[in-house]
Amino acid sequence: MNLKLKRLVRTHSSEQYALFDLTQTDEEDQPLTIGKLDLHYTGEGTYGTLLLWDMASQQIETERRRMFVQALLSELVLPMGLPNEFVVEFFAPTLDEYEVFHNLDEGTDGPAEALERAD
């Protein structure tokens, strides 16, 4: 897996990233979306939710997933000078019922479009 993160949203205390695997492409020859990561920064540490789409999750063994999360958070959190403590919830949903609701124009390349490529 060759992971690429695309920041979708950033506030003063949170970020949202789309996760792509550059070694896999979709039918439009775009990097395959494998999930998303939401992070919330506090004075005590970082809290977040990691979603790996079911097909991506099945390819990563449990111990390897732990290392993946720790490496991902080290890359994102340590440079910000935040405490090392973190709590991240992990989910591996199927995309059978996946929907994105938005009111963006069709031509807009916003957060919804990056995540919609997961369909």
Side-chain angles (χ1 to χ4, degrees):
M1 178 185 306
N2 185 2
L3 185 67
K4 177 184 178 187
L5 283 72
K6 178 180 180 186
R7 184 184 298 128
L8 303 174
V9 177
R10 182 179 206 171
T11 71
H12 70 283
S13 62
S14 66
E15 294 180 300
Q16 181 181 75
Y17 293 90
L19 307 175
F20 297 90
D21 182 356
L22 297 178
T23 62
Q24 300 181 61
T25 57
D26 61 18
E27 57 278 348
E28 296 173 5
D29 207 30
Q30 295 294 313
L32 188 65
T33 307
I34 61 167
K36 71 176 216 142
L37 174 66
D38 294 317
L39 295 174
H40 306 279
Y41 305 110
T42 71
E44 293 80 37
T46 302
Y47 299 88
T49 304
L50 171 64
L51 301 173
L52 284 183
W53 309 146
D54 187 52
M55 56 86 180
S57 175
Q58 290 178 15
Q59 297 175 10
I60 302 175
E61 300 164 3
T62 304
E63 185 56 36
R64 210 165 148 235
R65 185 172 56 232
R66 283 190 189 102
M67 294 184 324
F68 171 77
V69 170
Q70 289 177 344
L72 190 58
L73 290 173
S74 293
E75 176 129 351
L76 296 172
V77 175
L78 290 179
M80 296 186 72
L82 295 168
N84 284 334
E85 289 80 23
F86 65 82
V87 175
V88 173
E89 297 176 277
F90 168 75
F91 296 95
T94 65
L95 295 175
D96 296 337
E97 301 294 324
Y98 178 82
E99 289 184 78
V100 173
F101 299 95
H102 63 83
N103 64 353
L104 301 174
D105 292 334
E106 287 297 318
T108 305
D109 187 24
E113 282 72 23
L115 291 174
E116 281 180 340
R117 289 201 304 227
D119 285 348

